[in-house]
Amino acid sequence: MARPQSRILDVLGTEQVTPNMMRVRFGGSEIHTIPEGFEGGYIKLIFLEAPRAHPDRPVMRTYSIRSYDAEKGEMAVDFALHGDTGGLATDWALNAKVGDRMLIGGPGSVKMVDPEADWVFLAGDMTAIPALMCNIERLPATIKGYVVIEVTSEADKQELNLPEGIEVHWVVTPSPEKLEGNLVSKIKSLPWLEGCVSVWTACEFDSMRTLRSYYRNERGVGRDQIYLSSYWRAGRTEDQHKTDKQKDNAANQAAA
């Protein structure tokens, strides 16, 4: 598979979406190398000057495209300001100024819930909100199901435009890095609906593994009905988390 294209983008501005969510708007002469239709897909922020764990590979941080307007020449990326140890990208976002430049790779694949399913179950923490919101914006008006979102504070709740059949549950966890299990508990507490489900869940690594067992073993959800990913791991940098994910994926494949 070809390596995703990279380009240098300029910071057009920043916005405090909620107390714990910062938005950076990108543009510049190379913005049109971003293809349309990849909202919710991942990109790589490439920090060429950061100290490298591997001499042949620059430090990268993974984020989702929140929105992209090709005509306007603007892409928005939201940064969750949580308290784990991987603060390189969030520190950059907090200090970003108009005219700053960032090397960005991607976009990668877009993982969306199946709109043809009988019902949907979408869930995520603060790090998942940008991609989750892109999912919500593409839901058909007739779909039913659940949306469960863990946020750091009441003020971090964002306005959602949901189909009438979708039931939303907010979970407030002031210290998500302590892994109190609030998101997992809320998901498990909801009644399971009839019919074929499409599950989309992204959260912390250990919570993801707990939910993988719940969805598959307790609810019998097939692999082709689930998008399940960890976007971070408490107490680990992104590079360490990436290694943990690779080991977990290998073990999960072997057990299949």
Side-chain angles (χ1 to χ4, degrees):
M1 181 179 297
R3 181 182 295 274
Q5 181 179 350
S6 60
R7 77 283 291 160
I8 296 176
L9 299 183
D10 302 329
V11 173
L12 301 180
T14 64
E15 175 187 353
Q16 196 77 36
V17 180
T18 71
N20 292 289
M21 187 72 78
M22 171 70 72
R23 177 169 296 159
V24 178
R25 295 181 290 107
F26 292 95
S29 61
E30 298 185 54
I31 189 66
H32 295 292
T33 64
I34 299 284
E36 296 184 72
F38 279 80
E39 292 84 354
Y42 73 85
I43 55 171
K44 298 286 186 179
L45 276 63
I46 305 171
F47 294 86
L48 295 176
E49 303 302 321
R52 303 184 180 194
H54 304 279
D56 60 337
R57 191 165 69 237
V59 176
M60 295 183 285
R61 294 293 181 262
T62 307
Y63 283 85
S64 301
I65 298 174
R66 176 62 188 92
S67 64
Y68 177 56
D69 187 330
E71 183 175 343
K72 191 176 180 181
E74 185 172 307
M75 178 181 74
V77 179
D78 289 357
F79 295 75
L81 310 178
H82 52 85
D84 70 305
T85 56
L88 177 64
T90 53
D91 286 348
W92 177 86
L94 286 167
N95 293 284
K97 304 181 299 297
V98 174
D100 286 352
R101 313 192 87 189
M102 173 59 68
L103 181 62
I104 291 179
S109 58
V110 178
K111 303 295 185 181
M112 289 289 147
V113 72
D114 181 6
E116 302 298 321
D118 294 324
W119 64 287
V120 296
F121 201 130
L122 297 99
D125 61 16
M126 289 283 294
T127 65
I129 287 178
L132 191 150
M133 296 281 274
C134 291
N135 262 281
I136 288 173
E137 289 165 359
R138 299 182 189 183
L139 289 175
T142 56
I143 199 71
K144 62 182 179 180
Y146 300 113
V147 170
V148 182
I149 309 175
E150 183 179 51
V151 292
T152 307
S153 70
E154 289 284 344
D156 287 308
K157 295 179 179 180
Q158 298 188 38
E159 183 177 348
L160 304 178
N161 184 18
L162 293 168
E164 289 186 6
I166 296 292
E167 186 177 297
V168 62
H169 296 268
W170 294 96
V171 180
V172 178
T173 303
S175 300
E177 70 278 2
K178 293 182 179 179
L179 300 184
E180 298 171 344
N182 298 340
L183 177 66
V184 173
S185 295
K186 173 53 70 173
I187 289 171
K188 289 185 174 182
S189 73
L190 295 174
W192 205 251
L193 304 183
E194 296 293 329
C196 180
V197 66
S198 179
V199 173
W200 190 101
T201 300
C203 56
E204 193 275 337
F205 178 85
D206 294 294
S207 298
M208 177 276 295
R209 292 203 297 182
T210 300
L211 289 169
R212 182 173 62 201
S213 176
Y214 170 70
Y215 290 139
R216 292 182 183 174
N217 301 330
E218 296 185 44
R219 292 302 184 181
V221 182
R223 289 174 179 266
D224 60 345
Q225 299 168 259
I226 299 178
Y227 168 75
L228 183 62
S229 183
S230 62
Y231 284 179
W232 63 291
R233 189 175 194 182
R236 304 281 279 174
T237 66
E238 176 158 333
D239 290 335
Q240 293 168 332
H241 170 232
K242 182 178 179 180
T243 299
D244 295 341
K245 285 184 70 171
Q246 290 171 342
K247 291 179 179 177
D248 180 69
N249 288 337
N252 188 45
Q253 292 288 342

